[in-house]
Amino acid sequence: MADPPAPYRGFILEPTYRIERGRPVVLLFGKLANGEPFLVRDHREAPAFYIEAADAERAAALGASSVASQRVTLAGRPAAKVDLAVPPDAPPLRDRLFGAGIPCYEADVRFAVRYLMRRGIRSAVTLRGPSRLEPGLGRVFEDPEIAPAESVAAGGGVELAVLSFDIETDMGGQELLSVAFEGEDVSEVLLWTPPGMDCPDGAIPFASQKELLQGFRDRLVALDPDVLTGWNIVEFDLPVLARLAEREGVAMDIGRGGGPMRIRPQRSGGNQITLPGRLVLDGIRLLRGAFVKMESYSLDHVARQVLGEGKLLSGAHRGEEIQRLFREDREHFVAYNALDARLVLDILDRLQLVELACERSLLTGLPPDRVSGSIAAFDLLYLSELHRLGIVAPTVATARRQAAQSGTDSAESNYGGAVLEPDTGLWEHVLVFDFKSLYPSLIRTFQIDPLGYYRAAREDDGDPIRAPNGAAFSRRPGILPALLDTLFPRREAAKAAGDKVASFAIKILMNSFYGVLGTSACRFYNPPVANAITGFGRELLMWSKKRIEGYGHRVLYGDTDSLFVASGAADASGARDLGEDLVRRLNEDLADHIGAKWKVESRLELEFERLYLKLLLAPVRHGTGGARKRYAGLVDEGDGPKVIFTGLEAVRRDWTDLARTVQRELYERLFHERPVEDYLHQVVTELRDGQHDGALIYRKALRKRPEEYTATTPPHVAAARKMPGKTPRIIRYVITPGGAEPAAGWRGALDYEHYVQKQIRPIAEPVLAILQLDFAKVIGDDRQLELF
């Protein structure tokens, strides 16, 4: 007998479904390892959710037809399965049941997600069975054998074709001027060229708006990308194209197989855009989802920070200049448009953001365009494991109600890690000890787990693991600790192999587990479980502090997972030796303590993370205590001495450039024992002379529309109300004698005394206090009379 054909291996780009002839069909769009697009069509999945078996009779009166199942709830109560004809039947039935006080389970799990979850598939699949090639879709499988596959992330078995695009429009967004495409094998600009206008070499002319939109559609379909990207395309480019296409009667059927583009406003704000068979990965969202912090997320700023080059045009009058170039210098206009598209591609490549999204997809099973949702990631992972055990999880609304009814929702509020009062002053040779992955390690050590919490409540074993907040957990291996037991060695292996993308993806996932348990939008929301994690963290940080003090060393500060210790050493070499010795002793003593008190094996590990050659722990402004989470220190980690700031103005966007520059210089001078008086006096003099006006711009984000601020009117809101046109999210403004004004185009006087007192003085006084200097005297504002 001939061997069966080898299975295809692939990566899922989009799981969705379609209703055909009254029944749902699961659709899985993806890319095969051989380079072909694929589509799985599966007719075998039926929609369903669960209720408690005891509620079956009441539920039937409300239209819920249920059958007995072998599954139970987290609390151990038997569950009944409610079958549905199509997925859209679930929300109205769920709401009727919920209104009657009948809890529902998994009634909000997306249909296609449930299909993957039941099969243990996390984006990577193997497919076996008959298939056919269809133009525009690739290889199509009908009801194939489908199973999880080993990791086949982009670049590691499946190569995704990425296409970046950028549009230019008139100032009102009513006319499409051009579209630039940049990809591995393409670099071109589609240019609106009305009669009488020239078309530069290399650009492709289109005589009308309709033809240009059709050209965009046809060219994108011909290029057939797996990933469509750009900068702010979800909020601007694609919605503008959709609006203009509707006006011109052009169908935006740019998905695979002619699938239409769909734009859905999200409850949390912003849009979600789907293209059948393709991923829409916005550059800004990828950057934010990877926790890359930027002062500004404009393309120009990010490109300069990441690539060392920026846009050809920037600044307040960029829009007017683009229009002028379109009319008068079309060659430079085309170059400007093309560069914007290329910069996005280069940023994603340099930071490996597409690869990171795919790696996170392989870890969680979420599509790459949704991996930044930590709740959804946890949901899918934990639900998959519960299903394997025959347990159903509550619908989110049911989980909230159950938490409220049990009293756990209000019995204790979520509290964070311990933050110690800083021992203020300038210190030398300070050791910093840090718990490695503190919260994940606590979960592993103490079997902190939603299922373990319910098990302890119903198992009368008399010996649960009890947290400082009173929450108890079963000693049986839990789902969450087991997941982390798998992820920890995977991350270490990735780090050892130099795979920074995989290592970072696992780190993001592990660090999200604590937060979701204390978030009411999560179906596993449970404040006692979340607070058990922070409670153990606080107790063990304080125990470690006392143990270090018992060794005879002074603890200067502590924050959640770290302790700052005065070494008392005469030099850096002696301090480092002491740090290595202390961390070894402390880990041994900590493991003994945890084993003796809780009868578990410690998975906690303290690391000697850093040596500060000098560290300034500043006092709180206008007070006597120390400022928490605000410090600066001098380190030398092999690349020369440098100053590191935490929580201070130098690393905050909402302070002016001048304040941040001055703060950095003052701390450099303090730590290197150079005088500060002349420098500070000169800066203030230059400030008052108008020599630093360009560095006096504030930047602050609007949290809501300017008109929605009613109780108070902060300066950035006052400035925003004076801005013409659409209000940007980040407001750039200056302070004048008449108040806040938009920075763009301002040519009047500035309130220099405001900047002296509100920007320079606050960042100078912590340094001056150490040196026993007075700010007014240093800058020459001391007006005391001298008799002689």
Side-chain angles (χ1 to χ4, degrees), residues 499-573:
D499 190 342
K500 294 181 180 179
V501 172
S503 173
F504 188 46
I506 295 170
K507 178 181 178 180
I508 293 171
L509 179 61
M510 292 195 306
N511 287 342
S512 71
F513 286 172
Y514 155 70
V516 298
L517 295 172
T519 303
S520 60
C522 178
R523 75 181 69 251
F524 301 103
Y525 169 59
N526 193 318
V529 175
N531 288 337
I533 299 171
T534 52
F536 273 120
R538 293 168 69 92
E539 177 163 324
L540 294 176
L541 187 78
M542 297 306 295
W543 182 92
S544 299
K545 173 182 181 290
K546 290 180 181 178
R547 182 51 57 106
I548 290 171
E549 291 170 342
Y551 297 155
H553 299 282
R554 186 173 183 175
V555 175
L556 304 174
Y557 179 58
D559 183 358
T560 307
D561 59 357
S562 58
L563 291 167
F564 293 63
V565 180
S567 70
D571 55 35
S573 176

Side-chain angles (χ1 to χ4, degrees), residues 276-318:
R278 309 190 203 282
L279 288 172
V280 177
L281 297 181
D282 193 301
I284 294 179
R285 293 190 177 186
L286 286 174
L287 203 66
R288 292 181 183 274
F291 304 99
V292 178
K293 300 293 185 183
M294 291 282 173
E295 287 189 13
S296 167
Y297 287 91
S298 70
L299 177 57
D300 183 63
H301 179 82
V302 174
R304 292 184 188 281
Q305 296 297 311
V306 176
L307 305 173
E309 65 171 317
K311 295 161 66 79
L312 291 180
L313 297 175
S314 61
H317 303 289
R318 177 171 55 88

Side-chain angles (χ1 to χ4, degrees), residues 177-193:
L177 306 182
S178 64
V179 182
F181 286 124
E182 288 286 331
E184 184 177 356
D185 299 315
V186 61
S187 178
E188 59 191 37
V189 175
L190 316 184
L191 181 64
W192 182 34
T193 308

Side-chain angles (χ1 to χ4, degrees), residues 425-428 614-617 632 634 643 663-676 764 766-772:
L426 180 62
W427 301 90
E428 292 190 352
K614 293 184 180 180
L615 177 70
L616 177 60
L617 295 171
L634 181 69
V643 179
Q663 186 173 63
R664 290 186 181 279
E665 181 62 25
L666 288 176
Y667 278 78
E668 288 277 358
R669 288 171 177 265
L670 173 69
F671 292 144
H672 290 98
E673 300 180 4
R674 300 201 307 268
V676 303
V767 173
L768 297 180
I770 295 295
L771 301 173
Q772 298 182 327

Side-chain angles (χ1 to χ4, degrees), residues 11 74 91 99 141 301-302 308 333 354 363 478 486 512 642 676 679 719 734:
F11 179 81
L74 280 167
F141 298 83
H301 179 82
V302 174
F333 173 84
V354 173
L363 283 170
T486 301
S512 71
K642 62 180 179 181
V676 303
Y679 168 75
V734 292

Side-chain angles (χ1 to χ4, degrees), residues 428-431 567-580 608 611-614 634-636:
E428 292 190 352
H429 302 130
V430 176
L431 311 171
S567 70
D571 55 35
S573 176
R576 289 191 179 93
D577 290 343
L578 176 63
E580 297 294 347
F608 174 28
L611 168 65
Y612 280 106
L613 303 176
K614 293 184 180 180
L634 181 69
V635 302
D636 187 347

Side-chain angles (χ1 to χ4, degrees), residues 408-432:
T408 61
D409 197 24
S410 57
E412 54 178 326
S413 58
N414 287 354
Y415 59 85
V419 182
L420 307 183
E421 176 80 19
D423 200 338
T424 60
L426 180 62
W427 301 90
E428 292 190 352
H429 302 130
V430 176
L431 311 171
V432 181

Side-chain angles (χ1 to χ4, degrees), residues 153-173:
V158 171
E159 186 173 348
L160 300 183
V162 181
L163 180 67
S164 173
F165 84 101
D166 178 73
I167 71 170
E168 298 299 335
T169 70
D170 68 336
M171 295 285 283

